[in-house]
Amino acid sequence: MIDTIRFSISIKEKLLENFDELIEKKGYGNRSDAIRDLIRKFISESEWEEGDKETVGTITLIYDHEVRQINEVLTDLQHNYHENILSALHIHLDKHNCLEVLAVKGKGDKIREIGAKLNTVRGVKHARVTLGSTGKSLL
Ligand code: NI
C-alpha cells in the first residue's frame, strides 16, 4: 500500500492562472491530476537524461525500401541490437515508403545510439526516438 500525502506549494498567482487555464484546456479534472502527470513526466525524462537507467521507448522509421540494400542494412542493424529491440511493426505506406515502429528496451544511451545509427542509414528519411518509461518509478 502506497501512502498518498498532501503538500502545498508557493507559486505566483499569474503563473497558477496560466496553469489552470492550460489544464482545463487539456481536460484534467483537477490540479492534483495535472501535477502528478508533470512529476511522472519529469521522472521519465530524467531516466532518459541520465542515460544509464533501464527504460523503454519506440523508434519510428520512415524509409524508401527501393534504396539499394536498405532492407539488408536495417535487418543487420536490428540483429546487432536484438537484446534491445523487442518487436517491430512494418507497414507499407505506399509504393516506395515503409513505416517501421520498433519497441525498444534498455539503457537510454543505448536506445539513443540505435536511433542515431538508424538515422544514418541511406534511404532512411526519418528516425525518431520516443521516450517511454518502464513505469516502475512512476507509481
Ligand atoms: Ni514496406
Side-chain angles (χ1 to χ4, degrees):
M1 178 70 187
I2 296 157
D3 291 331
T4 299
I5 59 152
R6 293 177 67 90
F7 68 100
S8 60
I9 49 176
S10 306
I11 185 172
K12 292 235 160 59
E13 194 178 356
K14 181 65 186 152
L15 186 59
L16 186 60
E17 275 173 32
N18 292 346
F19 185 68
D20 284 344
E21 243 173 63
L22 188 66
I23 65 178
E24 200 190 324
K25 259 190 223 159
K26 288 185 179 274
Y28 284 103
N30 55 56
R31 279 181 195 149
S32 290
D33 286 345
I35 300 272
R36 266 193 296 272
D37 223 26
L38 283 177
I39 291 173
R40 290 191 187 107
K41 197 172 165 201
F42 193 64
I43 291 171
S44 300
E45 281 173 5
S46 79
E47 285 174 359
W48 277 81
E49 279 162 15
E50 287 170 34
D52 62 346
K53 288 225 173 110
E54 195 74 6
T55 188
V56 297
T58 59
I59 302 175
T60 306
L61 294 174
I62 306 281
Y63 65 89
D64 180 347
H65 80 102
E66 287 167 324
V67 169
R68 212 170 80 83
Q69 298 262 294
I70 190 164
N71 286 310
E72 289 82 351
V73 173
L74 289 177
T75 303
D76 277 356
L77 213 149
Q78 292 186 36
H79 275 270
N80 290 342
Y81 290 100
H82 66 91
E83 284 168 348
N84 302 100
I85 299 174
L86 305 172
S87 178
L89 168 72
H90 185 105
I91 294 159
H92 310 303
L93 282 180
D94 56 34
K95 199 169 180 316
H96 314 283
N97 293 297
C98 300
L99 163 67
E100 210 157 276
V101 183
L102 308 176
V104 288
K105 187 177 180 185
K107 299 203 157 84
D109 281 348
K110 180 69 85 173
I111 295 174
R112 270 190 287 260
E113 178 187 309
I114 299 169
K117 285 198 175 163
L118 289 166
N119 227 339
T120 62
V121 173
R122 204 171 74 83
V124 170
K125 299 175 175 181
H126 165 107
R128 178 162 296 168
V129 175
T130 306
L131 315 185
S133 168
T134 60
K136 286 178 194 157
S137 52
L138 301 186
L139 306 172

